[in-house]
Amino acid sequence: MKNLYTVNPDYRSLVSRYGSPLLVLDQATIRHQYRALSRALPSVTLHYALKPLPHPAVVAALKEEGCSFDLATKGEVDLARNAGVDPDTCIHTHPIKKDEEISYALDYGCRIFVIDNVEEAKKFIPYRHMARLLVRVSFPNPETPVDLSKKFGVLPEECLDLLRYARRLGLDVAGLSFHVGSQVPNARRHCEAIEQCAALLKQAEAEGMRLEILDIGGGFPVDYENAREQDIYAFCEPIREALGQVPEGTRLLAEPGRFISAPAMINICTVVGKATRFGKPWYYLDDGIYCSYSGQLFDHVTYPKYAPYVDGPVRESVLAGPTCDSIDIIAENIMLPDLQVDDIIVGKMMGAYTISTATEFNFISKTEILIVDTDRDEELKSLYQVEPARKKVDALKLVS
Ligand SMILES: *Cc1c(COP(=O)(O)O)cnc(C)c1O
């Protein structure tokens, strides 16, 4: 089975054929990640959260695998609809939304929505015969820089009150959900949240409210530091165990985003200029913080990047982006050999929260995405060579 962990493109041929900068999205890696997480959480239905990489090629690859989807906006509804996704396999998980967002998703056929407060519950009164609701519970997580429980979720101690309120309004509350934050370092918070939700499900049942669903959200991590495959089966082991506490018969869902898309895209860009400033070499690239590397700002991630075709002694160098702004620097202390104009820089693990948060600042167009399938493409075969022909990423590891 080939994917971006095992196969390395001929970057130079890709650039001469398709230009630079370029993002290469591999559908085989999307399938590989989906299968790995499915094996790690066999009792859980996976709803891919579109937000990190809302691309039709990702949706197509996952749909073929039988994956379900997690939508949050009208644009994401359109993407799913245009890809021919069965709306019964979709959930809408934005805790705060306009009425028109609700009616738009209902019109598509999506039936399950998320609320976390009284105002949001009231919005569903007109739709109470068609919409089913999950109540999102907040479990703050200081271990991740992307802590989603600050912005969303009802406190566990206030959850039953909200459930009772929704019942009085005649709403159809189907279950609970949470999101313990993205790229979590371990499964500790997932397990604590599952335990507390299991207790809430039991308390609700004792009051005659039988909830059928527990949605354990996203947050599943990838290994950015080494650009290596995360052992997701081992990571999920405590989660599999914690799920044993959930009342029998509860339907389990998850909303993975990053884990599925991050390893599936790489960035190839080119040195367009060089200078020496403050005693260091500065290399100016044709992609940067305002575009494919935007995740370094918004998502607090540093991507593994290296110069695949240049050897020689390394020194502390700076990689800067193409805009005229001073924050457009993607690495300030990266160990690199002496590069020349036209040399190539490759960024790995760049499929999640990268191009989806890119801008066109300075009137620079967003980087094109080339879709490949390393497991199936015949036409592109000549552009790929199997390991270990490539240089080791480890040897060129970042220092900052
Ligand atoms: C962003 C988001 C996800 C995906 O989270 P990851 O950490 O990328 O897995 C899932 N669910 C909701 C509600 C989100 O907002």
Side-chain angles (χ1 to χ4, degrees):
M1 203 72 81
K2 289 188 239 139
N3 57 62
L4 280 186
Y5 292 118
T6 56
V7 166
N8 219 40
D10 176 349
Y11 305 111
R12 276 189 287 222
S13 306
L14 284 169
V15 163
S16 65
R17 254 208 226 184
Y18 300 100
S20 170
L22 186 66
L23 289 160
V24 183
L25 166 57
D26 177 25
Q27 292 179 302
T29 313
I30 295 283
R31 290 194 301 272
H32 179 82
Q33 293 298 101
Y34 171 76
R35 289 175 194 174
L37 191 55
S38 299
R39 275 194 300 275
L41 295 172
S43 62
V44 180
T45 303
L46 302 182
H47 290 255
Y48 171 64
L50 291 181
K51 182 177 59 181
L53 188 55
H55 196 286
V58 176
V59 176
L62 290 171
K63 181 175 163 242
E64 186 189 310
E65 289 291 304
C67 183
S68 297
F69 294 91
D70 167 4
L71 323 170
T73 61
K74 286 202 304 193
E76 292 181 359
V77 168
D78 286 340
L79 174 51
R81 190 198 329 248
N82 294 339
V85 168
D86 177 355
D88 279 338
T89 67
C90 294
I91 56 177
H92 188 291
T93 60
H94 203 313
I96 311 284
K97 55 229 158 281
K98 293 180 180 176
D99 174 73
E100 67 182 84
E101 294 274 355
I102 301 169
S103 56
Y104 198 81
L106 277 171
D107 190 50
Y108 164 50
C110 177
R111 293 270 169 270
I112 297 183
F113 294 82
V114 169
I115 62 165
D116 69 359
N117 71 84
V118 164
E119 282 308 313
E120 208 63 20
K122 287 185 203 158
K123 292 180 190 168
F124 284 91
I125 296 171
Y127 309 114
R128 64 176 177 270
H129 300 301
M130 19 182 164
R132 312 201 67 200
L133 301 176
L134 304 178
V135 168
R136 175 147 158 190
V137 191
S138 158
F139 297 101
N141 190 349
E143 284 180 346
T144 162
V146 189
D147 182 4
L148 295 162
S149 285
K150 184 167 124 190
K151 187 167 171 185
F152 300 116
V154 62
L155 293 172
E157 55 270 30
E158 292 167 6
C159 178
L160 280 169
D161 275 342
L162 183 56
L163 291 173
R164 294 181 197 117
Y165 179 82
R167 178 165 66 173
R168 282 201 300 278
L169 292 181
L171 304 178
D172 179 2
V173 182
L176 303 179
S177 76
F178 59 78
H179 193 306
V180 293
S182 203
Q183 182 67 11
V184 294
N186 55 61
R188 187 181 61 81
R189 210 67 184 122
H190 280 97
C191 294
E192 289 167 3
I194 290 166
E195 280 164 31
Q196 292 196 47
C197 283
L200 287 168
L201 291 172
K202 286 168 197 159
Q203 286 163 19
E205 175 146 34
E207 294 189 24
M209 294 182 282
R210 170 88 183 94
L211 306 183
E212 297 153 45
I213 296 173
L214 177 62
D215 176 350
I216 66 170
F220 307 97
V222 295
D223 184 354
Y224 285 111
E225 208 181 328
N226 304 297
R228 235 185 251 128
E229 186 161 3
Q230 169 88 33
D231 184 349
I232 199 66
Y233 191 83
F235 176 92
C236 287
E237 170 158 21
I239 298 181
R240 289 192 296 276
E241 199 180 307
L243 288 172
Q245 301 180 31
V246 174
E248 212 161 312
T250 307
R251 256 173 69 203
L252 301 169
L253 318 180
E255 307 161 359
R258 179 191 310 275
F259 179 80
I260 291 186
S261 64
M265 196 154 72
I266 58 170
N267 175 268
I268 310 171
C269 63
T270 303
V271 177
V272 298
K274 63 186 277 194
T276 303
R277 303 190 200 280
F278 315 106
K280 275 187 204 173
W282 283 58
Y283 302 107
Y284 295 80
L285 309 174
D286 53 7
D287 205 340
I289 287 289
Y290 282 93
C291 193
S292 303
Y293 281 89
S294 61
Q296 293 202 168
L297 203 61
F298 293 123
D299 192 35
H300 318 281
V301 165
T302 305
Y303 307 101
K305 34 198 173 301
Y306 65 113
Y309 301 113
V310 187
D311 278 319
V314 295
R315 57 185 295 207
E316 255 187 44
S317 310
V318 180
L319 290 177
T323 72
C324 298
D325 189 19
S326 61
I327 70 155
D328 191 4
I329 292 174
I330 63 173
E332 293 223 51
N333 300 299
I334 182 169
M335 298 305 284
L336 286 172
D338 185 37
L339 303 182
Q340 308 303 325
V341 168
D342 288 338
D343 278 340
I344 282 171
I345 294 288
V346 169
K348 298 223 161 184
M349 313 289 284
M350 289 188 63
Y353 307 105
T354 54
I355 197 67
S356 59
T357 51
T359 72
E360 299 203 336
F361 177 56
N362 238 180
F363 228 108
I364 299 172
S365 303
K366 286 188 199 172
T367 300
E368 297 280 338
I369 303 178
L370 173 71
I371 312 300
V372 300
D373 190 325
T374 47
D375 208 26
R376 294 180 189 167
D377 281 345
E378 284 307 307
E379 198 235 331
L380 281 166
K381 221 171 182 175
S382 60
L383 299 181
Y384 292 91
Q385 41 186 203
V386 177
E387 293 269 44
R390 78 173 166 110
K391 287 180 190 289
K392 281 195 293 184
V393 175
D394 302 355
L396 298 146
K397 217 162 129 179
L398 294 255
V399 283
S400 81

